[in-house]
PDB file of all heavy atoms in Angstrom:
ATOM      1  N   ILE A 185      32.872  -1.240  32.257  1.00 95.00           N
ATOM      2  CA  ILE A 185      32.236  -0.940  30.971  1.00 95.00           C
ATOM      3  C   ILE A 185      30.982  -1.793  30.796  1.00 95.00           C
ATOM      4  O   ILE A 185      29.901  -1.283  30.491  1.00 95.00           O
ATOM      5  CB  ILE A 185      33.216  -1.169  29.808  1.00 95.00           C
ATOM      6  CG1 ILE A 185      34.310  -0.103  29.812  1.00 95.00           C
ATOM      7  CG2 ILE A 185      32.494  -1.198  28.468  1.00 95.00           C
ATOM      8  CD1 ILE A 185      35.489  -0.427  28.918  1.00 95.00           C
ATOM      9  N   LEU A 186      31.123  -3.095  31.001  1.00 96.00           N
ATOM     10  CA  LEU A 186      29.979  -3.991  30.838  1.00 96.00           C
ATOM     11  C   LEU A 186      28.897  -3.722  31.881  1.00 96.00           C
ATOM     12  O   LEU A 186      27.708  -3.717  31.564  1.00 96.00           O
ATOM     13  CB  LEU A 186      30.436  -5.447  30.903  1.00 96.00           C
ATOM     14  CG  LEU A 186      31.258  -5.933  29.706  1.00 96.00           C
ATOM     15  CD1 LEU A 186      31.790  -7.334  29.957  1.00 96.00           C
ATOM     16  CD2 LEU A 186      30.439  -5.884  28.434  1.00 96.00           C
ATOM     17  N   ARG A 187      29.305  -3.483  33.126  1.00 96.00           N
ATOM     18  CA  ARG A 187      28.320  -3.214  34.181  1.00 96.00           C
ATOM     19  C   ARG A 187      27.546  -1.930  33.894  1.00 96.00           C
ATOM     20  O   ARG A 187      26.324  -1.882  34.061  1.00 96.00           O
ATOM     21  CB  ARG A 187      29.013  -3.115  35.546  1.00 96.00           C
ATOM     22  CG  ARG A 187      28.009  -3.007  36.687  1.00 96.00           C
ATOM     23  CD  ARG A 187      28.635  -2.605  37.965  1.00 96.00           C
ATOM     24  NE  ARG A 187      29.059  -1.213  37.805  1.00 96.00           N
ATOM     25  CZ  ARG A 187      29.885  -0.588  38.614  1.00 96.00           C
ATOM     26  NH1 ARG A 187      30.412  -1.196  39.625  1.00 96.00           N
ATOM     27  NH2 ARG A 187      30.205   0.661  38.407  1.00 96.00           N
ATOM     28  N   THR A 188      28.240  -0.896  33.443  1.00 94.00           N
ATOM     29  CA  THR A 188      27.579   0.368  33.120  1.00 94.00           C
ATOM     30  C   THR A 188      26.574   0.173  31.979  1.00 94.00           C
ATOM     31  O   THR A 188      25.444   0.658  32.054  1.00 94.00           O
ATOM     32  CB  THR A 188      28.619   1.430  32.725  1.00 94.00           C
ATOM     33  OG1 THR A 188      29.527   1.604  33.811  1.00 94.00           O
ATOM     34  CG2 THR A 188      27.963   2.750  32.385  1.00 94.00           C
ATOM     35  N   GLY A 189      26.976  -0.542  30.949  1.00 94.00           N
ATOM     36  CA  GLY A 189      26.071  -0.794  29.836  1.00 94.00           C
ATOM     37  C   GLY A 189      24.853  -1.601  30.246  1.00 94.00           C
ATOM     38  O   GLY A 189      23.732  -1.289  29.838  1.00 94.00           O
ATOM     39  N   ILE A 190      25.069  -2.620  31.068  1.00 95.00           N
ATOM     40  CA  ILE A 190      23.945  -3.448  31.529  1.00 95.00           C
ATOM     41  C   ILE A 190      23.015  -2.639  32.421  1.00 95.00           C
ATOM     42  O   ILE A 190      21.790  -2.721  32.302  1.00 95.00           O
ATOM     43  CB  ILE A 190      24.465  -4.707  32.251  1.00 95.00           C
ATOM     44  CG1 ILE A 190      25.142  -5.632  31.237  1.00 95.00           C
ATOM     45  CG2 ILE A 190      23.342  -5.432  32.975  1.00 95.00           C
ATOM     46  CD1 ILE A 190      25.928  -6.766  31.852  1.00 95.00           C
ATOM     47  N   THR A 191      23.582  -1.828  33.309  1.00 94.00           N
ATOM     48  CA  THR A 191      22.766  -0.976  34.188  1.00 94.00           C
ATOM     49  C   THR A 191      21.932   0.000  33.371  1.00 94.00           C
ATOM     50  O   THR A 191      20.734   0.175  33.628  1.00 94.00           O
ATOM     51  CB  THR A 191      23.659  -0.206  35.182  1.00 94.00           C
ATOM     52  OG1 THR A 191      24.417  -1.143  35.939  1.00 94.00           O
ATOM     53  CG2 THR A 191      22.844   0.673  36.102  1.00 94.00           C
ATOM     54  N   ASN A 192      22.563   0.632  32.385  1.00 93.00           N
ATOM     55  CA  ASN A 192      21.827   1.572  31.534  1.00 93.00           C
ATOM     56  C   ASN A 192      20.758   0.859  30.720  1.00 93.00           C
ATOM     57  O   ASN A 192      19.673   1.399  30.504  1.00 93.00           O
ATOM     58  CB  ASN A 192      22.787   2.326  30.621  1.00 93.00           C
ATOM     59  CG  ASN A 192      23.662   3.300  31.370  1.00 93.00           C
ATOM     60  OD1 ASN A 192      23.426   3.600  32.543  1.00 93.00           O
ATOM     61  ND2 ASN A 192      24.703   3.770  30.721  1.00 93.00           N
ATOM     62  N   TYR A 193      21.049  -0.355  30.278  1.00 94.00           N
ATOM     63  CA  TYR A 193      20.059  -1.144  29.535  1.00 94.00           C
ATOM     64  C   TYR A 193      18.843  -1.438  30.414  1.00 94.00           C
ATOM     65  O   TYR A 193      17.699  -1.258  29.993  1.00 94.00           O
ATOM     66  CB  TYR A 193      20.698  -2.453  29.060  1.00 94.00           C
ATOM     67  CG  TYR A 193      19.700  -3.453  28.530  1.00 94.00           C
ATOM     68  CD1 TYR A 193      19.180  -3.331  27.249  1.00 94.00           C
ATOM     69  CD2 TYR A 193      19.270  -4.520  29.307  1.00 94.00           C
ATOM     70  CE1 TYR A 193      18.262  -4.240  26.756  1.00 94.00           C
ATOM     71  CE2 TYR A 193      18.350  -5.438  28.833  1.00 94.00           C
ATOM     72  CZ  TYR A 193      17.851  -5.286  27.555  1.00 94.00           C
ATOM     73  OH  TYR A 193      16.934  -6.189  27.076  1.00 94.00           O
ATOM     74  N   VAL A 194      19.092  -1.863  31.630  1.00 93.00           N
ATOM     75  CA  VAL A 194      17.996  -2.210  32.546  1.00 93.00           C
ATOM     76  C   VAL A 194      17.178  -0.971  32.902  1.00 93.00           C
ATOM     77  O   VAL A 194      15.949  -1.039  33.004  1.00 93.00           O
ATOM     78  CB  VAL A 194      18.553  -2.899  33.818  1.00 93.00           C
ATOM     79  CG1 VAL A 194      17.492  -3.035  34.882  1.00 93.00           C
ATOM     80  CG2 VAL A 194      19.139  -4.247  33.458  1.00 93.00           C
ATOM     81  N   ASN A 195      17.820   0.172  33.077  1.00 92.00           N
ATOM     82  CA  ASN A 195      17.129   1.399  33.476  1.00 92.00           C
ATOM     83  C   ASN A 195      16.446   2.118  32.313  1.00 92.00           C
ATOM     84  O   ASN A 195      15.664   3.034  32.536  1.00 92.00           O
ATOM     85  CB  ASN A 195      18.094   2.352  34.169  1.00 92.00           C
ATOM     86  CG  ASN A 195      18.551   1.817  35.503  1.00 92.00           C
ATOM     87  OD1 ASN A 195      17.865   1.022  36.142  1.00 92.00           O
ATOM     88  ND2 ASN A 195      19.731   2.239  35.930  1.00 92.00           N
ATOM     89  N   SER A 196      16.752   1.723  31.085  1.00 91.00           N
ATOM     90  CA  SER A 196      16.167   2.384  29.918  1.00 91.00           C
ATOM     91  C   SER A 196      14.682   2.037  29.789  1.00 91.00           C
ATOM     92  O   SER A 196      14.257   0.917  30.036  1.00 91.00           O
ATOM     93  CB  SER A 196      16.914   1.947  28.661  1.00 91.00           C
ATOM     94  OG  SER A 196      16.324   2.515  27.533  1.00 91.00           O
ATOM     95  N   ARG A 197      13.894   3.018  29.390  1.00 88.00           N
ATOM     96  CA  ARG A 197      12.452   2.818  29.210  1.00 88.00           C
ATOM     97  C   ARG A 197      12.050   2.782  27.741  1.00 88.00           C
ATOM     98  O   ARG A 197      10.976   2.348  27.399  1.00 88.00           O
ATOM     99  CB  ARG A 197      11.669   3.945  29.911  1.00 88.00           C
ATOM    100  CG  ARG A 197      11.905   4.008  31.394  1.00 88.00           C
ATOM    101  CD  ARG A 197      11.307   2.773  32.062  1.00 88.00           C
ATOM    102  NE  ARG A 197      11.694   2.731  33.460  1.00 88.00           N
ATOM    103  CZ  ARG A 197      12.291   1.698  34.043  1.00 88.00           C
ATOM    104  NH1 ARG A 197      12.578   0.631  33.355  1.00 88.00           N
ATOM    105  NH2 ARG A 197      12.605   1.726  35.304  1.00 88.00           N
ATOM    106  N   ASN A 198      12.915   3.229  26.875  1.00 89.00           N
ATOM    107  CA  ASN A 198      12.634   3.281  25.447  1.00 89.00           C
ATOM    108  C   ASN A 198      13.099   1.974  24.796  1.00 89.00           C
ATOM    109  O   ASN A 198      14.267   1.608  24.874  1.00 89.00           O
ATOM    110  CB  ASN A 198      13.377   4.478  24.838  1.00 89.00           C
ATOM    111  CG  ASN A 198      13.030   4.702  23.391  1.00 89.00           C
ATOM    112  OD1 ASN A 198      12.797   3.762  22.646  1.00 89.00           O
ATOM    113  ND2 ASN A 198      13.014   5.970  23.001  1.00 89.00           N
ATOM    114  N   ASP A 199      12.183   1.276  24.125  1.00 91.00           N
ATOM    115  CA  ASP A 199      12.504  -0.024  23.536  1.00 91.00           C
ATOM    116  C   ASP A 199      13.570   0.078  22.448  1.00 91.00           C
ATOM    117  O   ASP A 199      14.414  -0.813  22.309  1.00 91.00           O
ATOM    118  CB  ASP A 199      11.254  -0.681  22.960  1.00 91.00           C
ATOM    119  CG  ASP A 199      10.307  -1.161  24.050  1.00 91.00           C
ATOM    120  OD1 ASP A 199      10.781  -1.365  25.190  1.00 91.00           O
ATOM    121  OD2 ASP A 199       9.105  -1.328  23.764  1.00 91.00           O
ATOM    122  N   LYS A 200      13.523   1.147  21.669  1.00 92.00           N
ATOM    123  CA  LYS A 200      14.514   1.309  20.604  1.00 92.00           C
ATOM    124  C   LYS A 200      15.909   1.532  21.204  1.00 92.00           C
ATOM    125  O   LYS A 200      16.885   0.936  20.740  1.00 92.00           O
ATOM    126  CB  LYS A 200      14.121   2.495  19.721  1.00 92.00           C
ATOM    127  CG  LYS A 200      14.886   2.588  18.444  1.00 92.00           C
ATOM    128  CD  LYS A 200      14.297   3.669  17.555  1.00 92.00           C
ATOM    129  CE  LYS A 200      14.967   3.667  16.207  1.00 92.00           C
ATOM    130  NZ  LYS A 200      14.403   4.684  15.322  1.00 92.00           N
ATOM    131  N   ILE A 201      15.998   2.350  22.228  1.00 93.00           N
ATOM    132  CA  ILE A 201      17.288   2.587  22.898  1.00 93.00           C
ATOM    133  C   ILE A 201      17.776   1.299  23.562  1.00 93.00           C
ATOM    134  O   ILE A 201      18.966   0.985  23.516  1.00 93.00           O
ATOM    135  CB  ILE A 201      17.148   3.727  23.936  1.00 93.00           C
ATOM    136  CG1 ILE A 201      16.731   5.040  23.257  1.00 93.00           C
ATOM    137  CG2 ILE A 201      18.426   3.911  24.722  1.00 93.00           C
ATOM    138  CD1 ILE A 201      17.753   5.655  22.368  1.00 93.00           C
ATOM    139  N   ARG A 202      16.866   0.540  24.146  1.00 94.00           N
ATOM    140  CA  ARG A 202      17.244  -0.746  24.763  1.00 94.00           C
ATOM    141  C   ARG A 202      17.834  -1.698  23.725  1.00 94.00           C
ATOM    142  O   ARG A 202      18.797  -2.418  24.001  1.00 94.00           O
ATOM    143  CB  ARG A 202      16.033  -1.396  25.431  1.00 94.00           C
ATOM    144  CG  ARG A 202      15.649  -0.758  26.744  1.00 94.00           C
ATOM    145  CD  ARG A 202      14.354  -1.338  27.290  1.00 94.00           C
ATOM    146  NE  ARG A 202      14.488  -2.740  27.651  1.00 94.00           N
ATOM    147  CZ  ARG A 202      14.714  -3.180  28.883  1.00 94.00           C
ATOM    148  NH1 ARG A 202      14.832  -2.318  29.867  1.00 94.00           N
ATOM    149  NH2 ARG A 202      14.813  -4.467  29.131  1.00 94.00           N
ATOM    150  N   ALA A 203      17.273  -1.691  22.518  1.00 95.00           N
ATOM    151  CA  ALA A 203      17.809  -2.540  21.445  1.00 95.00           C
ATOM    152  C   ALA A 203      19.221  -2.104  21.067  1.00 95.00           C
ATOM    153  O   ALA A 203      20.101  -2.948  20.837  1.00 95.00           O
ATOM    154  CB  ALA A 203      16.883  -2.489  20.231  1.00 95.00           C
ATOM    155  N   TYR A 204      19.451  -0.787  21.026  1.00 94.00           N
ATOM    156  CA  TYR A 204      20.806  -0.293  20.748  1.00 94.00           C
ATOM    157  C   TYR A 204      21.772  -0.687  21.864  1.00 94.00           C
ATOM    158  O   TYR A 204      22.900  -1.098  21.594  1.00 94.00           O
ATOM    159  CB  TYR A 204      20.805   1.230  20.572  1.00 94.00           C
ATOM    160  CG  TYR A 204      20.210   1.695  19.266  1.00 94.00           C
ATOM    161  CD1 TYR A 204      19.274   2.721  19.252  1.00 94.00           C
ATOM    162  CD2 TYR A 204      20.579   1.128  18.055  1.00 94.00           C
ATOM    163  CE1 TYR A 204      18.717   3.166  18.067  1.00 94.00           C
ATOM    164  CE2 TYR A 204      20.035   1.562  16.865  1.00 94.00           C
ATOM    165  CZ  TYR A 204      19.108   2.593  16.885  1.00 94.00           C
ATOM    166  OH  TYR A 204      18.565   3.024  15.703  1.00 94.00           O
ATOM    167  N   TYR A 205      21.330  -0.523  23.109  1.00 95.00           N
ATOM    168  CA  TYR A 205      22.175  -0.948  24.240  1.00 95.00           C
ATOM    169  C   TYR A 205      22.552  -2.414  24.098  1.00 95.00           C
ATOM    170  O   TYR A 205      23.714  -2.794  24.260  1.00 95.00           O
ATOM    171  CB  TYR A 205      21.445  -0.762  25.573  1.00 95.00           C
ATOM    172  CG  TYR A 205      21.633   0.572  26.224  1.00 95.00           C
ATOM    173  CD1 TYR A 205      20.530   1.366  26.543  1.00 95.00           C
ATOM    174  CD2 TYR A 205      22.885   1.054  26.552  1.00 95.00           C
ATOM    175  CE1 TYR A 205      20.686   2.594  27.154  1.00 95.00           C
ATOM    176  CE2 TYR A 205      23.054   2.275  27.163  1.00 95.00           C
ATOM    177  CZ  TYR A 205      21.956   3.043  27.465  1.00 95.00           C
ATOM    178  OH  TYR A 205      22.115   4.257  28.066  1.00 95.00           O
ATOM    179  N   LEU A 206      21.576  -3.237  23.810  1.00 95.00           N
ATOM    180  CA  LEU A 206      21.816  -4.673  23.699  1.00 95.00           C
ATOM    181  C   LEU A 206      22.782  -4.980  22.558  1.00 95.00           C
ATOM    182  O   LEU A 206      23.702  -5.797  22.717  1.00 95.00           O
ATOM    183  CB  LEU A 206      20.496  -5.411  23.510  1.00 95.00           C
ATOM    184  CG  LEU A 206      20.536  -6.918  23.667  1.00 95.00           C
ATOM    185  CD1 LEU A 206      21.032  -7.304  25.046  1.00 95.00           C
ATOM    186  CD2 LEU A 206      19.155  -7.501  23.434  1.00 95.00           C
ATOM    187  N   ALA A 207      22.607  -4.323  21.432  1.00 96.00           N
ATOM    188  CA  ALA A 207      23.491  -4.549  20.284  1.00 96.00           C
ATOM    189  C   ALA A 207      24.931  -4.171  20.621  1.00 96.00           C
ATOM    190  O   ALA A 207      25.869  -4.935  20.350  1.00 96.00           O
ATOM    191  CB  ALA A 207      22.998  -3.752  19.081  1.00 96.00           C
ATOM    192  N   PHE A 208      25.115  -3.004  21.234  1.00 96.00           N
ATOM    193  CA  PHE A 208      26.469  -2.573  21.585  1.00 96.00           C
ATOM    194  C   PHE A 208      27.070  -3.453  22.672  1.00 96.00           C
ATOM    195  O   PHE A 208      28.260  -3.778  22.632  1.00 96.00           O
ATOM    196  CB  PHE A 208      26.487  -1.099  22.013  1.00 96.00           C
ATOM    197  CG  PHE A 208      26.386  -0.155  20.857  1.00 96.00           C
ATOM    198  CD1 PHE A 208      25.314   0.711  20.749  1.00 96.00           C
ATOM    199  CD2 PHE A 208      27.352  -0.122  19.866  1.00 96.00           C
ATOM    200  CE1 PHE A 208      25.202   1.591  19.686  1.00 96.00           C
ATOM    201  CE2 PHE A 208      27.268   0.742  18.786  1.00 96.00           C
ATOM    202  CZ  PHE A 208      26.186   1.603  18.703  1.00 96.00           C
ATOM    203  N   LEU A 209      26.263  -3.858  23.649  1.00 96.00           N
ATOM    204  CA  LEU A 209      26.772  -4.725  24.715  1.00 96.00           C
ATOM    205  C   LEU A 209      27.224  -6.079  24.179  1.00 96.00           C
ATOM    206  O   LEU A 209      28.276  -6.588  24.574  1.00 96.00           O
ATOM    207  CB  LEU A 209      25.715  -4.916  25.806  1.00 96.00           C
ATOM    208  CG  LEU A 209      25.606  -3.801  26.818  1.00 96.00           C
ATOM    209  CD1 LEU A 209      24.350  -3.977  27.662  1.00 96.00           C
ATOM    210  CD2 LEU A 209      26.837  -3.766  27.696  1.00 96.00           C
ATOM    211  N   VAL A 210      26.429  -6.660  23.307  1.00 96.00           N
ATOM    212  CA  VAL A 210      26.798  -7.953  22.732  1.00 96.00           C
ATOM    213  C   VAL A 210      28.087  -7.817  21.920  1.00 96.00           C
ATOM    214  O   VAL A 210      28.987  -8.662  22.012  1.00 96.00           O
ATOM    215  CB  VAL A 210      25.649  -8.518  21.867  1.00 96.00           C
ATOM    216  CG1 VAL A 210      26.105  -9.682  21.020  1.00 96.00           C
ATOM    217  CG2 VAL A 210      24.483  -8.915  22.753  1.00 96.00           C
ATOM    218  N   MET A 211      28.196  -6.752  21.148  1.00 94.00           N
ATOM    219  CA  MET A 211      29.391  -6.541  20.339  1.00 94.00           C
ATOM    220  C   MET A 211      30.621  -6.327  21.225  1.00 94.00           C
ATOM    221  O   MET A 211      31.681  -6.917  20.986  1.00 94.00           O
ATOM    222  CB  MET A 211      29.184  -5.341  19.416  1.00 94.00           C
ATOM    223  CG  MET A 211      30.303  -5.146  18.445  1.00 94.00           C
ATOM    224  SD  MET A 211      29.939  -3.959  17.133  1.00 94.00           S
ATOM    225  CE  MET A 211      29.260  -2.582  18.008  1.00 94.00           C
ATOM    226  N   ILE A 212      30.492  -5.509  22.256  1.00 95.00           N
ATOM    227  CA  ILE A 212      31.620  -5.252  23.160  1.00 95.00           C
ATOM    228  C   ILE A 212      32.012  -6.526  23.899  1.00 95.00           C
ATOM    229  O   ILE A 212      33.200  -6.846  24.025  1.00 95.00           O
ATOM    230  CB  ILE A 212      31.259  -4.110  24.144  1.00 95.00           C
ATOM    231  CG1 ILE A 212      31.195  -2.783  23.387  1.00 95.00           C
ATOM    232  CG2 ILE A 212      32.256  -4.041  25.285  1.00 95.00           C
ATOM    233  CD1 ILE A 212      30.589  -1.646  24.172  1.00 95.00           C
ATOM    234  N   PHE A 213      31.026  -7.290  24.362  1.00 95.00           N
ATOM    235  CA  PHE A 213      31.321  -8.546  25.057  1.00 95.00           C
ATOM    236  C   PHE A 213      32.060  -9.516  24.134  1.00 95.00           C
ATOM    237  O   PHE A 213      33.040 -10.147  24.536  1.00 95.00           O
ATOM    238  CB  PHE A 213      30.029  -9.181  25.589  1.00 95.00           C
ATOM    239  CG  PHE A 213      30.259 -10.486  26.289  1.00 95.00           C
ATOM    240  CD1 PHE A 213      30.805 -10.510  27.563  1.00 95.00           C
ATOM    241  CD2 PHE A 213      29.951 -11.686  25.672  1.00 95.00           C
ATOM    242  CE1 PHE A 213      31.029 -11.713  28.213  1.00 95.00           C
ATOM    243  CE2 PHE A 213      30.169 -12.890  26.308  1.00 95.00           C
ATOM    244  CZ  PHE A 213      30.714 -12.905  27.587  1.00 95.00           C
ATOM    245  N   ALA A 214      31.607  -9.635  22.907  1.00 93.00           N
ATOM    246  CA  ALA A 214      32.255 -10.528  21.946  1.00 93.00           C
ATOM    247  C   ALA A 214      33.695 -10.089  21.682  1.00 93.00           C
ATOM    248  O   ALA A 214      34.603 -10.924  21.575  1.00 93.00           O
ATOM    249  CB  ALA A 214      31.463 -10.578  20.652  1.00 93.00           C
ATOM    250  N   MET A 215      33.924  -8.792  21.599  1.00 93.00           N
ATOM    251  CA  MET A 215      35.286  -8.297  21.373  1.00 93.00           C
ATOM    252  C   MET A 215      36.184  -8.575  22.578  1.00 93.00           C
ATOM    253  O   MET A 215      37.362  -8.899  22.418  1.00 93.00           O
ATOM    254  CB  MET A 215      35.259  -6.804  21.064  1.00 93.00           C
ATOM    255  CG  MET A 215      34.727  -6.478  19.715  1.00 93.00           C
ATOM    256  SD  MET A 215      34.774  -4.704  19.472  1.00 93.00           S
ATOM    257  CE  MET A 215      34.075  -4.572  17.864  1.00 93.00           C
TER     258      MET A 215
END
């Protein structure tokens, strides 16, 4: 789950989508 999210974050070109990826990844990691 974390690897997929990080990979998608790195491959994303849209800054707004990258911010969403980062927000969800941080929340999932904390949980």
Side-chain angles (χ1 to χ4, degrees):
I185 290 166
L186 290 173
R187 187 193 69 194
T188 301
I190 291 169
T191 302
N192 290 348
Y193 168 79
V194 169
N195 292 335
S196 177
R197 299 292 172 234
N198 186 325
D199 289 338
K200 192 172 186 179
I201 299 292
R202 284 174 66 98
Y204 286 132
Y205 270 123
L206 192 59
F208 284 118
L209 279 168
V210 167
M211 186 168 47
I212 290 168
F213 179 75
M215 287 181 181

